[in-house]
Amino acid sequence: MWLKKIKHNLYKTVFLLLIGFQAQAQELLKLEDAVKIALENNYEIKIASNNLKIDETNSSAGNAGMLPNITANVVNTNSIQNITQTQSDGSQKSLDGAKNLGLNYGVNLGWTVFDGMKMFAKREQLKVLQKQGESDLKLTIFTKISDVYATYFNLVQQQQQLMALDSTLILSNERLTTAQNRYTIGKASKLVVLNAQVDLNTDTSLRLTQLNLYQNTKIQLNQILARDTKIDFKVANEIPIDNQLKLDDLKSLSDKQNPQLQSQILAKNSADLQLKQVKAGRYPTVTINSGYGFSHTEASLGFVTQSQGRGLTYGFTAAIPIFNGFYQSRNEKIAKIQVDTADLVVKQQQTILDSQLGMAFQSYQTNLQLTTIEKSNVDIAKQNLDITLAKFKIGTITPIDYRTAQLNYVNALVRYSNAQFQTKLNEITLSELAGNLKL
């Protein structure tokens, strides 16, 4: 019996040392470091950044059609022919294998100087599309950083629950030791020892299940951070909660900063500018043309066997639309409908945003209250456990009463941790909706 007791105490000591060693060996991943890694590595953020670079590249005066087109041209033609020419006096000249050469080269300029202001509307639309790309990038960043926040604090919660299960394992070990000691001196039955062993095994099983969930969530966070999923780390021990959020302030911020709403507003502006471009089709288009060219020709037979020329050409082209099968009217009607649709989408997004803010804030307030209640429950359950443990050691209460107090304390810790986590999730959601998520 004394050998079994030594083995049991040795197991408990090794278990506690192992927990402490693992905690020290793991690198602490701070929340701000996790956010920084995600901003640098996350694939979706990189893809959205590349899309913004495309929008920035497209936003130029040249792409809007405001700059001239300059081209350099070279045309070379050669021929070998059998030629027969009849002169005005009736005589004929013939030559087999006559060679002819033509060479033209030069620089031409074409510049549309007026198109019903279409080019200016196009330029403004490209700027709007660039801003929309910036808003879409911000939305992607907020979404992924929100995932980082949620997953990180999920790990904090699970780490807290692991600590709670570690505590209950220590208590269960002490209970088993006490039961074995009392059984040795004849003050407890074998049944008490067996029940203590079963409860210890149950607690060990629960801890293994929780540890598995904790490790899998670590892999999930590493995936979000786009780094090696085998990297091990630990997270902070506490979940800080901002209990000063106000709905009116969040509503005001969301109207100005929510990236999804801003993207829809920009889409409405883009539709307005598209309508302007379509209406420009009713106006004339004026294009300036100019160029400087060189020409050289050679012929084996004819009055002129060789000629050269060079010089400046210039002029303009004006095109006035008169009738195109009602194509213009049809395009204008479609563009107006698209403007109305974009306006409806903005109003719809505003309604959705207000609804999301209202529900998230209601959940935030409820979970704040639950956090306060569960914190009080933890304090009460701890006092009850301390008293129960003292009485159990002197044998004035039953093992069932002790186990009940033990479970009540562990469950209180778990509920408190869950309440904190849910409150933090609501806080993250509100900050994301308000466009105020800290990066």
Side-chain angles (χ1 to χ4, degrees):
M1 186 62 65
W2 62 270
L3 182 59
K4 183 183 293 185
K5 180 178 178 181
I6 291 176
K7 288 182 178 179
H8 173 70
N9 289 333
L10 181 61
Y11 162 78
K12 182 169 69 174
T13 302
V14 170
F15 172 76
L16 294 175
L17 287 174
L18 182 60
I19 294 175
F21 175 76
Q22 289 177 340
Q24 291 178 0
Q26 295 171 350
E27 174 190 359
L28 174 63
L29 177 64
K30 296 180 180 180
L31 179 61
E32 54 267 30
D33 293 334
V35 170
K36 181 179 178 181
I37 294 171
L39 289 173
E40 293 175 351
N41 295 351
N42 184 267
Y43 295 113
E44 292 183 41
I45 293 176
K46 286 183 176 181
I47 292 171
S49 298
N50 285 340
N51 290 336
L52 176 58
K53 289 177 182 178
I54 294 174
D55 293 333
E56 291 172 344
T57 304
N58 283 330
S59 181
S60 65
N63 197 32
M66 301 176 73
L67 301 180
N69 292 319
I70 301 175
T71 59
N73 301 310
V74 177
V75 178
N76 176 255
T77 58
N78 296 274
S79 66
I80 300 176
Q81 297 177 325
N82 297 326
I83 299 175
T84 299
Q85 292 182 349
T86 301
Q87 307 298 316
S88 58
D89 59 0
S91 61
Q92 291 186 338
K93 291 182 179 181
S94 299
L95 179 63
D96 293 337
K99 295 182 179 180
N100 297 287
L101 178 147
L103 176 63
N104 294 276
Y105 58 95
V107 179
N108 297 312
L109 177 146
W111 191 356
T112 300
V113 294
F114 182 78
D115 61 355
M117 310 303 287
K118 178 180 178 179
M119 65 180 75
F120 295 98
K122 179 66 173 178
R123 181 74 177 99
E124 290 302 313
Q125 186 183 41
L126 291 172
K127 292 179 180 179
V128 169
L129 291 175
Q130 179 181 341
K131 291 180 180 179
Q132 192 172 5
E134 293 171 356
S135 184
D136 291 342
L137 173 59
K138 186 178 180 181
L139 176 61
T140 301
I141 290 174
F142 275 14
T143 300
K144 300 319 297 181
I145 298 307
S146 176
D147 290 344
V148 172
Y149 270 65
T151 308
Y152 185 91
F153 287 114
N154 188 16
L155 278 172
V156 175
Q157 174 210 27
Q158 292 179 26
Q159 190 169 266
Q160 290 175 342
Q161 295 187 9
L162 272 175
M163 293 172 65
L165 291 171
D166 289 341
S167 299
T168 197
L169 275 174
I170 294 173
L171 294 174
S172 295
N173 269 289
E174 291 183 0
R175 175 188 167 193
L176 179 59
T177 301
T178 302
Q180 288 174 333
N181 291 338
R182 296 180 66 187
Y183 173 72
T184 301
I185 62 177
K187 290 189 174 181
S189 66
K190 183 68 174 178
L191 182 61
V192 173
V193 176
L194 294 176
N195 285 334
Q197 184 64 63
V198 168
D199 289 339
L200 174 61
N201 292 341
T202 300
D203 294 339
T204 303
S205 177
L206 289 174
R207 186 186 185 280
L208 286 173
T209 301
Q210 180 61 39
L211 181 61
N212 178 66
L213 179 61
Y214 178 65
Q215 297 293 352
N216 284 339
T217 308
K218 278 187 180 181
I219 295 174
Q220 181 184 357
L221 181 57
N222 280 329
Q223 177 188 350
I224 296 174
L225 300 183
R227 64 178 189 173
D228 189 352
T229 56
K230 298 184 181 65
I231 294 177
D232 198 12
F233 59 91
K234 64 178 180 178
V235 293
N237 294 324
E238 301 295 334
I239 300 179
I241 294 175
D242 183 358
N243 58 4
Q244 301 298 321
L245 297 181
K246 292 180 173 56
L247 183 59
D248 290 340
D249 295 341
L250 294 167
K251 177 67 169 61
S252 178
L253 287 173
S254 68
D255 290 341
K256 300 175 183 177
Q257 299 181 169
N258 180 269
Q260 201 163 2
L261 178 61
Q262 294 306 309
S263 180
Q264 297 299 343
I265 292 174
L266 289 169
K268 165 65 167 56
N269 295 340
S270 179
D272 290 334
L273 292 168
Q274 183 63 35
L275 176 59
K276 287 184 178 181
Q277 294 177 61
V278 173
K279 286 183 175 180
R282 293 187 177 275
Y283 296 91
T285 301
V286 180
T287 304
I288 294 175
N289 304 301
S290 181
Y292 194 89
F294 301 83
S295 64
H296 176 79
T297 60
E298 293 182 9
S300 298
L301 184 67
F303 290 106
V304 180
T305 60
Q306 183 175 341
S307 83
Q308 298 185 78
R310 63 179 179 178
L312 177 68
T313 60
Y314 57 90
F316 72 91
T317 302
I320 303 174
I322 297 176
F323 180 75
N324 59 1
F326 304 107
Y327 181 81
Q328 177 67 30
S329 298
R330 183 169 60 252
N331 283 349
E332 287 184 16
K333 288 180 181 179
I334 293 173
K336 288 177 181 178
I337 293 173
Q338 290 173 336
V339 169
D340 292 339
T341 300
D343 186 54
L344 291 172
V345 171
V346 170
K347 293 177 180 178
Q348 180 189 41
Q349 186 60 44
Q350 183 68 70
T351 302
I352 292 173
L353 180 58
D354 291 343
S355 175
Q356 291 174 332
L357 274 172
M359 291 188 294
F361 191 77
Q362 177 60 49
S363 298
Y364 165 76
Q365 289 182 311
T366 300
N367 283 305
L368 273 179
Q369 296 174 357
L370 288 173
T371 300
T372 302
I373 294 172
E374 296 302 342
K375 176 64 172 64
S376 176
N377 281 340
V378 169
D379 296 337
I380 295 171
K382 182 64 170 64
Q383 294 179 32
N384 181 54
L385 179 62
D386 292 341
I387 295 172
T388 305
L389 178 59
K391 290 185 177 181
F392 177 74
K393 288 182 177 179
I394 61 177
T396 59
I397 63 170
T398 65
I400 295 178
D401 292 333
Y402 174 72
R403 180 63 175 175
T404 300
Q406 182 185 3
L407 292 178
N408 285 341
Y409 176 62
V410 173
N411 290 335
L413 285 174
V414 171
R415 288 196 307 271
Y416 176 52
S417 178
N418 286 337
Q420 285 183 303
F421 177 57
Q422 292 302 319
T423 306
K424 193 62 181 181
L425 286 181
N426 298 142
E427 179 189 326
I428 294 169
T429 299
L430 289 170
S431 298
E432 182 180 1
L433 292 173
N436 198 35
L437 191 65
K438 294 181 181 179
L439 302 181

Coordinates of all heavy atoms in Angstrom, one line a residue, residues 73-148:
N73 N 4.4 54.7 -88.0 CA 4.0 53.8 -89.0 C 5.1 53.6 -90.1 O 5.7 54.6 -90.5 CB 2.7 54.2 -89.7 CG 1.6 54.4 -88.7 OD1 1.3 53.5 -88.0 ND2 0.9 55.5 -88.8
V74 N 5.3 52.4 -90.5 CA 6.2 52.1 -91.7 C 5.5 51.1 -92.6 O 5.0 50.1 -92.1 CB 7.5 51.5 -91.2 CG1 8.4 51.1 -92.4 CG2 8.3 52.4 -90.3
V75 N 5.3 51.5 -93.9 CA 4.7 50.6 -94.8 C 5.6 50.4 -96.0 O 6.0 51.4 -96.7 CB 3.3 51.2 -95.3 CG1 2.7 50.3 -96.3 CG2 2.4 51.4 -94.1
N76 N 5.9 49.2 -96.3 CA 6.8 48.9 -97.4 C 6.2 47.9 -98.3 O 5.7 46.8 -97.9 CB 8.2 48.3 -96.9 CG 9.1 47.9 -98.0 OD1 9.3 46.7 -98.3 ND2 9.7 48.9 -98.7
T77 N 6.0 48.2 -99.6 CA 5.4 47.3 -100.6 C 6.4 47.1 -101.8 O 7.0 48.1 -102.3 CB 4.1 47.9 -101.1 OG1 4.3 49.1 -101.7 CG2 3.1 48.0 -100.0
N78 N 6.5 45.9 -102.2 CA 7.3 45.5 -103.4 C 6.5 44.6 -104.3 O 5.7 43.8 -103.8 CB 8.6 44.9 -102.9 CG 9.5 45.8 -102.1 OD1 10.3 46.5 -102.6 ND2 9.3 45.7 -100.8
S79 N 6.8 44.8 -105.6 CA 6.1 43.9 -106.6 C 7.0 43.6 -107.8 O 7.9 44.5 -108.1 CB 4.8 44.5 -107.0 OG 5.0 45.7 -107.8
I80 N 6.9 42.5 -108.4 CA 7.5 42.1 -109.7 C 6.4 41.7 -110.7 O 5.7 40.7 -110.4 CB 8.6 41.0 -109.5 CG1 9.7 41.5 -108.5 CG2 9.2 40.6 -110.8 CD1 10.7 40.4 -108.2
Q81 N 6.2 42.4 -111.8 CA 5.1 42.2 -112.7 C 5.6 42.3 -114.1 O 6.6 42.9 -114.5 CB 4.0 43.2 -112.4 CG 3.4 43.2 -111.1 CD 2.4 44.3 -110.9 OE1 2.6 45.4 -111.4 NE2 1.3 44.0 -110.1
N82 N 4.8 41.6 -114.9 CA 5.0 41.7 -116.4 C 3.9 42.8 -116.8 O 2.7 42.6 -116.7 CB 4.7 40.4 -117.1 CG 5.7 39.3 -116.7 OD1 6.9 39.6 -116.5 ND2 5.2 38.1 -116.7
I83 N 4.5 44.0 -117.3 CA 3.6 45.1 -117.6 C 3.5 45.4 -119.1 O 4.6 45.4 -119.8 CB 4.1 46.3 -116.8 CG1 4.1 46.0 -115.3 CG2 3.3 47.6 -117.1 CD1 4.7 47.2 -114.5
T84 N 2.3 45.7 -119.5 CA 2.1 46.3 -120.9 C 1.3 47.6 -120.7 O 0.2 47.6 -120.2 CB 1.4 45.3 -121.8 OG1 2.1 44.1 -121.9 CG2 1.1 45.9 -123.2
Q85 N 1.9 48.7 -121.2 CA 1.3 50.0 -121.2 C 0.9 50.5 -122.6 O 1.7 50.4 -123.5 CB 2.2 51.0 -120.5 CG 2.4 50.8 -119.0 CD 3.3 51.8 -118.4 OE1 3.9 52.7 -119.1 NE2 3.4 51.8 -117.0
T86 N -0.3 51.0 -122.8 CA -0.7 51.6 -124.0 C -0.7 53.1 -123.9 O -1.4 53.6 -123.0 CB -2.1 51.1 -124.4 OG1 -2.1 49.7 -124.5 CG2 -2.6 51.8 -125.7
Q87 N 0.1 53.8 -124.7 CA 0.3 55.2 -124.6 C -0.9 55.9 -125.3 O -1.7 55.3 -126.0 CB 1.6 55.7 -125.2 CG 2.8 54.9 -124.7 CD 3.0 55.2 -123.2 OE1 2.9 56.3 -122.8 NE2 3.3 54.1 -122.5
S88 N -1.0 57.2 -125.1 CA -2.1 58.0 -125.7 C -2.0 58.1 -127.2 O -3.0 58.3 -127.8 CB -2.1 59.4 -125.1 OG -0.8 60.1 -125.4
D89 N -0.8 57.8 -127.7 CA -0.7 57.9 -129.2 C -1.0 56.5 -129.8 O -0.8 56.3 -131.0 CB 0.6 58.4 -129.6 CG 1.8 57.5 -129.1 OD1 1.5 56.5 -128.3 OD2 3.0 57.9 -129.3
G90 N -1.3 55.5 -129.0 CA -1.6 54.2 -129.5 C -0.5 53.2 -129.4 O -0.6 52.0 -129.6
S91 N 0.7 53.7 -129.1 CA 1.9 52.8 -129.0 C 1.9 52.1 -127.7 O 1.2 52.5 -126.7 CB 3.2 53.6 -129.2 OG 3.3 54.6 -128.1
Q92 N 2.6 51.0 -127.6 CA 2.6 50.1 -126.5 C 4.1 49.9 -126.0 O 5.0 49.9 -126.8 CB 2.0 48.7 -126.7 CG 0.5 48.8 -127.0 CD 0.0 47.4 -127.1 OE1 0.7 46.4 -127.4 NE2 -1.3 47.2 -126.9
K93 N 4.2 49.8 -124.6 CA 5.5 49.5 -124.0 C 5.3 48.3 -123.1 O 4.3 48.2 -122.4 CB 6.0 50.7 -123.2 CG 6.4 51.9 -124.0 CD 7.0 53.0 -123.1 CE 7.4 54.2 -123.9 NZ 8.0 55.2 -123.0
S94 N 6.2 47.4 -123.2 CA 6.1 46.2 -122.4 C 7.4 45.9 -121.7 O 8.5 46.2 -122.2 CB 5.7 45.0 -123.3 OG 4.5 45.1 -123.9
L95 N 7.2 45.4 -120.5 CA 8.5 45.0 -119.7 C 8.1 43.8 -118.8 O 7.2 43.9 -118.0 CB 8.9 46.2 -118.9 CG 10.2 45.9 -118.0 CD1 11.4 45.6 -118.9 CD2 10.5 47.1 -117.1
D96 N 8.9 42.8 -119.0 CA 8.7 41.6 -118.1 C 9.6 41.7 -116.9 O 10.7 42.1 -117.0 CB 9.0 40.3 -118.9 CG 8.0 40.0 -120.0 OD1 6.9 40.5 -119.9 OD2 8.4 39.3 -120.9
G97 N 9.0 41.3 -115.7 CA 9.8 41.4 -114.5 C 10.0 42.8 -114.0 O 11.1 43.1 -113.4
A98 N 9.1 43.7 -114.3 CA 9.2 45.1 -113.8 C 9.1 45.1 -112.3 O 8.2 44.6 -111.7 CB 8.2 45.9 -114.5
K99 N 10.0 45.8 -111.7 CA 10.1 46.0 -110.3 C 9.4 47.3 -109.9 O 9.7 48.3 -110.4 CB 11.5 45.9 -109.7 CG 12.1 44.5 -110.0 CD 13.5 44.5 -109.4 CE 14.2 43.1 -109.6 NZ 15.6 43.1 -109.0
N100 N 8.6 47.2 -108.8 CA 8.0 48.4 -108.2 C 8.2 48.4 -106.7 O 8.1 47.4 -106.1 CB 6.5 48.5 -108.5 CG 6.2 48.5 -110.0 OD1 6.4 49.6 -110.6 ND2 5.7 47.4 -110.6
L101 N 8.5 49.6 -106.2 CA 8.8 49.7 -104.7 C 8.0 50.9 -104.2 O 8.0 52.0 -104.8 CB 10.3 49.9 -104.5 CG 10.8 50.1 -103.1 CD1 12.1 49.4 -102.9 CD2 10.9 51.6 -102.7
G102 N 7.4 50.7 -103.0 CA 6.8 51.8 -102.3 C 7.2 51.8 -100.9 O 7.1 50.8 -100.2
L103 N 7.6 52.9 -100.3 CA 8.0 53.0 -98.9 C 7.4 54.3 -98.3 O 7.6 55.4 -98.8 CB 9.5 53.1 -98.8 CG 10.1 53.2 -97.4 CD1 9.7 52.0 -96.5 CD2 11.6 53.4 -97.4
N104 N 6.6 54.1 -97.2 CA 6.0 55.2 -96.5 C 6.2 55.0 -95.0 O 6.0 54.0 -94.5 CB 4.5 55.3 -96.8 CG 4.1 55.6 -98.2 OD1 4.1 56.7 -98.6 ND2 3.9 54.6 -99.0
Y105 N 6.7 56.1 -94.4 CA 6.9 56.0 -92.9 C 6.7 57.4 -92.4 O 6.9 58.4 -93.0 CB 8.2 55.5 -92.6 CG 9.4 56.2 -93.1 CD1 10.1 57.2 -92.4 CD2 9.9 55.9 -94.4 CE1 11.2 57.9 -92.9 CE2 11.0 56.5 -94.9 CZ 11.6 57.5 -94.2 OH 12.7 58.2 -94.7
G106 N 6.3 57.5 -91.1 CA 6.0 58.7 -90.4 C 5.4 58.6 -89.1 O 5.3 57.5 -88.5
V107 N 5.0 59.7 -88.5 CA 4.4 59.8 -87.1 C 3.1 60.4 -87.2 O 2.9 61.5 -87.9 CB 5.3 60.5 -86.1 CG1 4.6 60.6 -84.8 CG2 6.7 59.9 -86.0
N108 N 2.0 59.8 -86.6 CA 0.7 60.3 -86.7 C 0.2 60.6 -85.3 O 0.5 59.8 -84.3 CB -0.3 59.3 -87.4 CG 0.1 59.1 -88.8 OD1 0.4 60.1 -89.6 ND2 0.2 57.9 -89.2
L109 N -0.6 61.6 -85.1 CA -1.2 62.0 -83.8 C -2.7 62.1 -84.0 O -3.2 62.7 -84.9 CB -0.6 63.3 -83.3 CG -1.2 63.9 -82.0 CD1 -0.1 64.6 -81.2 CD2 -2.4 64.8 -82.3
G110 N -3.4 61.5 -83.0 CA -4.9 61.6 -83.0 C -5.3 62.0 -81.6 O -4.9 61.3 -80.6
W111 N -6.1 63.0 -81.4 CA -6.4 63.5 -80.1 C -7.9 64.0 -80.0 O -8.2 64.9 -80.7 CB -5.5 64.7 -79.7 CG -5.5 65.1 -78.2 CD1 -6.4 64.6 -77.3 CD2 -4.7 66.0 -77.6 NE1 -6.1 65.1 -76.1 CE2 -5.1 66.1 -76.2 CE3 -3.7 66.9 -78.0 CZ2 -4.5 66.9 -75.3 CZ3 -3.1 67.7 -77.1 CH2 -3.5 67.8 -75.8
T112 N -8.7 63.2 -79.3 CA -10.1 63.6 -79.1 C -10.1 64.7 -78.1 O -9.8 64.6 -76.9 CB -10.9 62.4 -78.6 OG1 -10.8 61.3 -79.5 CG2 -12.3 62.8 -78.4
V113 N -10.5 65.9 -78.5 CA -10.5 67.1 -77.7 C -11.9 67.4 -77.1 O -12.1 68.2 -76.2 CB -10.0 68.3 -78.4 CG1 -8.5 68.2 -78.8 CG2 -10.9 68.6 -79.7
F114 N -13.0 66.8 -77.7 CA -14.3 66.9 -77.1 C -15.1 65.7 -77.4 O -15.2 65.2 -78.6 CB -15.0 68.2 -77.7 CG -16.3 68.4 -77.1 CD1 -16.5 69.0 -75.9 CD2 -17.5 68.0 -77.8 CE1 -17.8 69.2 -75.3 CE2 -18.8 68.3 -77.3 CZ -18.9 68.9 -76.0
D115 N -15.7 65.1 -76.4 CA -16.6 64.0 -76.6 C -17.9 64.1 -75.7 O -18.3 63.1 -75.1 CB -15.9 62.7 -76.3 CG -15.3 62.6 -74.9 OD1 -15.5 63.6 -74.1 OD2 -14.8 61.5 -74.5
G116 N -18.3 65.3 -75.5 CA -19.5 65.5 -74.7 C -19.2 65.4 -73.2 O -20.1 65.0 -72.4
M117 N -17.9 65.6 -72.8 CA -17.4 65.5 -71.4 C -17.4 64.1 -70.9 O -17.3 63.9 -69.7 CB -18.3 66.4 -70.5 CG -18.5 67.8 -70.9 SD -17.0 68.7 -71.2 CE -16.5 69.0 -69.5
K118 N -17.4 63.2 -71.8 CA -17.4 61.7 -71.4 C -16.1 61.4 -70.7 O -16.1 60.7 -69.7 CB -17.6 60.9 -72.6 CG -17.6 59.4 -72.3 CD -17.8 58.5 -73.6 CE -17.7 57.1 -73.3 NZ -17.9 56.2 -74.5
M119 N -15.0 61.9 -71.3 CA -13.7 61.6 -70.7 C -13.5 62.0 -69.3 O -12.9 61.4 -68.5 CB -12.6 62.1 -71.6 CG -12.5 63.6 -71.7 SD -11.2 64.2 -72.8 CE -11.9 63.9 -74.4
F120 N -14.1 63.2 -69.0 CA -14.0 63.7 -67.6 C -14.8 62.9 -66.6 O -14.4 62.7 -65.5 CB -14.4 65.2 -67.6 CG -13.5 66.1 -68.4 CD1 -13.9 66.5 -69.7 CD2 -12.3 66.6 -67.9 CE1 -13.0 67.3 -70.4 CE2 -11.5 67.4 -68.6 CZ -11.8 67.7 -69.9
A121 N -16.0 62.5 -67.1 CA -16.8 61.6 -66.2 C -16.1 60.2 -66.0 O -16.1 59.7 -64.9 CB -18.2 61.4 -66.8
K122 N -15.4 59.8 -67.1 CA -14.7 58.5 -67.0 C -13.5 58.6 -66.0 O -13.3 57.7 -65.2 CB -14.2 58.1 -68.3 CG -13.3 56.8 -68.4 CD -14.2 55.6 -68.1 CE -13.4 54.3 -68.3 NZ -14.1 53.1 -67.9
R123 N -12.8 59.8 -66.0 CA -11.7 60.0 -65.1 C -12.2 60.0 -63.7 O -11.6 59.4 -62.8 CB -11.1 61.4 -65.4 CG -9.9 61.7 -64.5 CD -8.7 60.8 -64.9 NE -7.5 61.2 -64.1 CZ -7.1 60.5 -63.1 NH1 -7.7 59.4 -62.7 NH2 -6.0 60.8 -62.4
E124 N -13.3 60.6 -63.4 CA -13.9 60.7 -62.0 C -14.3 59.3 -61.6 O -14.2 58.9 -60.5 CB -15.0 61.6 -61.9 CG -14.6 63.1 -62.0 CD -13.6 63.5 -61.0 OE1 -13.9 63.1 -59.8 OE2 -12.6 64.1 -61.3
Q125 N -14.9 58.5 -62.6 CA -15.3 57.2 -62.2 C -14.1 56.3 -61.9 O -14.2 55.4 -60.9 CB -16.1 56.6 -63.4 CG -16.7 55.2 -63.1 CD -17.3 54.6 -64.3 OE1 -16.8 54.7 -65.4 NE2 -18.5 54.0 -64.1
L126 N -13.0 56.4 -62.6 CA -11.8 55.6 -62.2 C -11.3 56.0 -60.8 O -10.9 55.1 -60.1 CB -10.7 55.9 -63.3 CG -11.0 55.3 -64.7 CD1 -9.9 55.8 -65.7 CD2 -11.1 53.8 -64.7
K127 N -11.4 57.2 -60.5 CA -11.0 57.6 -59.1 C -11.9 57.0 -58.1 O -11.5 56.5 -57.0 CB -11.0 59.2 -58.9 CG -10.0 59.9 -59.7 CD -10.1 61.4 -59.6 CE -9.0 62.1 -60.3 NZ -9.1 63.6 -60.2
V128 N -13.2 57.0 -58.4 CA -14.2 56.4 -57.5 C -13.9 54.9 -57.4 O -14.0 54.3 -56.3 CB -15.6 56.6 -58.0 CG1 -16.7 55.8 -57.2 CG2 -16.0 58.1 -57.8
L129 N -13.6 54.2 -58.5 CA -13.3 52.8 -58.4 C -12.1 52.5 -57.6 O -12.0 51.5 -56.9 CB -13.2 52.2 -59.9 CG -14.4 52.2 -60.7 CD1 -14.1 51.8 -62.1 CD2 -15.5 51.3 -60.1
Q130 N -11.1 53.4 -57.6 CA -9.9 53.2 -56.8 C -10.3 53.3 -55.3 O -9.9 52.5 -54.5 CB -8.9 54.3 -57.1 CG -7.6 54.2 -56.3 CD -6.6 55.3 -56.6 OE1 -6.7 55.9 -57.7 NE2 -5.7 55.5 -55.7
K131 N -11.1 54.3 -55.0 CA -11.6 54.4 -53.6 C -12.4 53.2 -53.2 O -12.3 52.8 -52.0 CB -12.4 55.7 -53.4 CG -11.6 57.0 -53.6 CD -12.5 58.2 -53.4 CE -11.8 59.5 -53.5 NZ -12.6 60.7 -53.4
Q132 N -13.2 52.7 -54.1 CA -14.0 51.5 -53.8 C -13.0 50.3 -53.6 O -13.3 49.5 -52.7 CB -14.9 51.2 -55.0 CG -16.0 50.1 -54.6 CD -17.0 50.0 -55.7 OE1 -16.9 50.6 -56.8 NE2 -18.0 49.2 -55.5
G133 N -11.9 50.2 -54.3 CA -10.9 49.2 -54.1 C -10.3 49.3 -52.7 O -10.1 48.3 -52.0
E134 N -10.1 50.6 -52.3 CA -9.5 50.8 -50.9 C -10.5 50.4 -49.9 O -10.1 49.8 -48.9 CB -9.2 52.3 -50.8 CG -8.1 52.8 -51.7 CD -7.9 54.3 -51.7 OE1 -8.7 55.0 -51.0 OE2 -7.0 54.8 -52.3
S135 N -11.8 50.7 -50.1 CA -12.8 50.3 -49.2 C -12.9 48.7 -49.1 O -13.1 48.1 -48.0 CB -14.2 50.9 -49.6 OG -15.2 50.6 -48.6
D136 N -12.8 48.1 -50.3 CA -12.9 46.6 -50.3 C -11.7 46.0 -49.6 O -11.8 45.0 -48.9 CB -13.0 46.1 -51.7 CG -14.3 46.5 -52.4 OD1 -15.2 46.8 -51.7 OD2 -14.3 46.4 -53.7
L137 N -10.5 46.6 -49.8 CA -9.4 46.1 -49.0 C -9.5 46.3 -47.5 O -9.2 45.4 -46.8 CB -8.1 46.9 -49.5 CG -6.8 46.6 -48.7 CD1 -6.4 45.1 -48.8 CD2 -5.7 47.5 -49.2
K138 N -10.1 47.4 -47.1 CA -10.3 47.7 -45.7 C -11.3 46.6 -45.1 O -11.1 46.1 -44.0 CB -10.9 49.1 -45.5 CG -11.1 49.5 -44.0 CD -11.6 50.9 -43.9 CE -11.7 51.3 -42.5 NZ -12.2 52.7 -42.4
L139 N -12.3 46.3 -45.9 CA -13.3 45.3 -45.5 C -12.7 43.9 -45.3 O -12.9 43.2 -44.4 CB -14.5 45.2 -46.5 CG -15.5 44.1 -46.3 CD1 -16.2 44.4 -44.9 CD2 -16.5 44.1 -47.4
T140 N -11.8 43.6 -46.3 CA -11.1 42.3 -46.2 C -10.2 42.3 -45.0 O -10.1 41.3 -44.2 CB -10.2 42.1 -47.5 OG1 -11.1 42.1 -48.6 CG2 -9.5 40.7 -47.4
I141 N -9.5 43.4 -44.7 CA -8.6 43.5 -43.6 C -9.4 43.3 -42.3 O -9.0 42.6 -41.4 CB -7.8 44.8 -43.6 CG1 -6.8 44.8 -44.7 CG2 -7.1 45.0 -42.3 CD1 -6.0 46.1 -44.9
F142 N -10.5 44.1 -42.2 CA -11.3 44.0 -41.0 C -11.8 42.6 -40.8 O -11.9 42.1 -39.6 CB -12.5 45.0 -41.1 CG -12.1 46.4 -40.7 CD1 -10.8 46.8 -40.5 CD2 -13.1 47.3 -40.4 CE1 -10.5 48.1 -40.1 CE2 -12.8 48.6 -40.0 CZ -11.5 49.0 -39.8
T143 N -12.3 42.0 -41.8 CA -12.8 40.6 -41.7 C -11.8 39.6 -41.2 O -12.0 38.8 -40.3 CB -13.4 40.1 -43.1 OG1 -14.4 41.0 -43.5 CG2 -14.0 38.7 -42.9
K144 N -10.6 39.7 -41.8 CA -9.5 38.7 -41.4 C -9.0 39.1 -40.0 O -8.7 38.2 -39.2 CB -8.4 38.7 -42.4 CG -8.8 38.3 -43.8 CD -9.8 37.2 -43.9 CE -9.2 35.9 -43.3 NZ -10.2 34.8 -43.4
I145 N -8.8 40.4 -39.7 CA -8.3 40.7 -38.3 C -9.4 40.4 -37.3 O -9.1 40.0 -36.2 CB -8.0 42.2 -38.3 CG1 -6.8 42.5 -39.3 CG2 -7.5 42.6 -36.9 CD1 -5.6 41.6 -39.1
S146 N -10.7 40.5 -37.6 CA -11.7 40.1 -36.7 C -11.6 38.6 -36.5 O -11.8 38.1 -35.3 CB -13.1 40.4 -37.3 OG -14.1 39.9 -36.5
D147 N -11.3 37.8 -37.5 CA -11.1 36.4 -37.3 C -9.9 36.1 -36.4 O -9.9 35.2 -35.5 CB -10.8 35.7 -38.7 CG -12.1 35.7 -39.5 OD1 -13.2 35.9 -39.0 OD2 -11.9 35.4 -40.8
V148 N -8.8 36.9 -36.5 CA -7.7 36.8 -35.7 C -8.1 37.1 -34.2 O -7.7 36.3 -33.3 CB -6.5 37.7 -36.1 CG1 -5.4 37.7 -35.1 CG2 -6.0 37.3 -37.5

